[in-house]
Amino acid sequence: EVRLVESGGGLGQPGGSLRLSCATSGFSFSIYSMNWVRQAPGKGLEWVSYITGSSSTIYYADSVKGRFTISRDNAKNSLYLQMNSLRAEDTALYYCARSVQFGFDIWGQGTMVTVSS
Amino acid sequence: QSALTQPPSASGSPGQSVTISCTGTSSDVGGYNYVSWYQQHPGKAPKLLIYEVTKRPSGVPDRFSGSKSGNTASLTVSGLQAEDEADYYCNSYAGSNNLIFGGGTKLTVL
């Protein structure tokens, strides 16, 4: 069974940092591009970041560029999102999602990030 | 990059067909055949229904179909069932290494 399990969410201070993780299983992680997608409470979906299987290509949404860093460890079948300089508007449920032709075919259940003092 | 435009709500009776639109520009929906559709039930993760405008992943019923004309993509749900009541989102590649979503449509089965 293909599974994505996010962790690392919680309460972050404005200007602070959090690191999210996504543990995967049931597929050949290293050959798939992966993404982070977020959803603010009661709002729609927003793509955050993308990374290819080899980590050779990385993209970010303008809203997080320069503050967030996506990475992966293929030996551990895991995806990460380092979130720095947190803002209130980063408060959201963060999903990791596997790529399929600029879409997302497998999603985790998400990890909640709340930015507040 | 602005979000794609979806109607906030749509509705239909069981057995009917409903079409949800997703309007963008020539820089996103109209410029690429990379439109996807997702279904999200309350408290659940989104589920992929359609990718590359018309393709259905295995396991998705053929009651769900996608199409595109110009800058507008559409998702049609035929033979509406109670379990189809959910939020639906479109997304598109928007060039310049960017992906954008629509604002979402709440589908009510009457």
Side-chain angles (χ1 to χ4, degrees):
Chain A
E1 179 192 5
V2 175
R3 287 193 74 198
L4 306 178
V5 180
E6 301 92 338
S7 61
L11 179 63
Q13 299 277 334
S17 299
L18 282 174
R19 188 186 192 223
L20 307 184
S21 299
C22 173
T24 76
S25 59
F27 66 102
S28 298
F29 178 70
S30 63
I31 67 173
Y32 283 90
S33 298
M34 298 292 295
N35 302 265
W36 288 99
V37 178
R38 68 185 180 183
Q39 187 169 31
K43 302 296 185 182
L45 299 168
E46 179 188 15
W47 169 76
V48 172
S49 186
Y50 162 96
I51 185 169
T52 54
S54 64
S55 303
S56 59
T57 300
I58 287 173
Y59 305 141
Y60 297 100
D62 287 343
S63 58
V64 306
K65 202 171 294 183
R67 300 187 300 121
F68 290 8
T69 301
I70 192 171
S71 64
R72 64 192 295 158
D73 185 335
N74 287 342
K76 295 182 177 180
N77 295 323
S78 294
L79 177 72
Y80 306 101
L81 186 68
Q82 178 67 42
M83 309 167 63
N84 298 332
S85 302
L86 286 168
R87 304 169 179 169
E89 54 264 36
D90 296 322
T91 294
L93 186 62
Y94 283 74
Y95 294 103
C96 67
R98 193 175 77 173
S99 274
V100 59
Q101 298 293 57
F102 299 106
F104 316 99
D105 67 338
I106 305 294
W107 297 65
Q109 287 305 302
T111 187
M112 187 67 201
V113 170
T114 302
V115 181
S116 175
S117 55
Chain B
Q1 195 86 32
S2 300
L4 305 175
T5 300
Q6 296 181 233
S9 63
S11 63
S13 299
Q16 287 187 332
S17 293
V18 170
T19 296
I20 298 170
S21 62
C22 171
T23 301
T25 69
S26 58
S27 297
D28 39 66
V29 174
Y32 307 93
N33 287 323
Y34 290 126
V35 176
S36 302
W37 289 92
Y38 306 85
Q39 177 191 62
Q40 186 179 35
H41 287 107
K44 300 294 187 182
K47 174 188 174 183
L48 179 66
L49 296 175
I50 299 288
Y51 67 103
E52 289 186 80
V53 180
T54 60
K55 296 179 180 179
R56 245 187 340 268
S58 61
V60 173
D62 59 6
R63 302 187 296 105
F64 296 91
S65 62
S67 62
K68 190 182 85 167
S69 177
N71 296 335
T72 298
S74 298
L75 172 73
T76 298
V77 186
S78 305
L80 267 178
Q81 299 180 3
E83 59 262 36
D84 297 334
E85 185 161 296
D87 293 328
Y88 291 82
Y89 294 92
C90 62
N91 96 281
S92 174
Y93 181 65
S96 301
N97 309 322
N98 192 24
L99 292 163
I100 54 174
F101 280 93
T105 298
K106 182 176 180 61
L107 175 61
T108 300
V109 180
L110 302 170

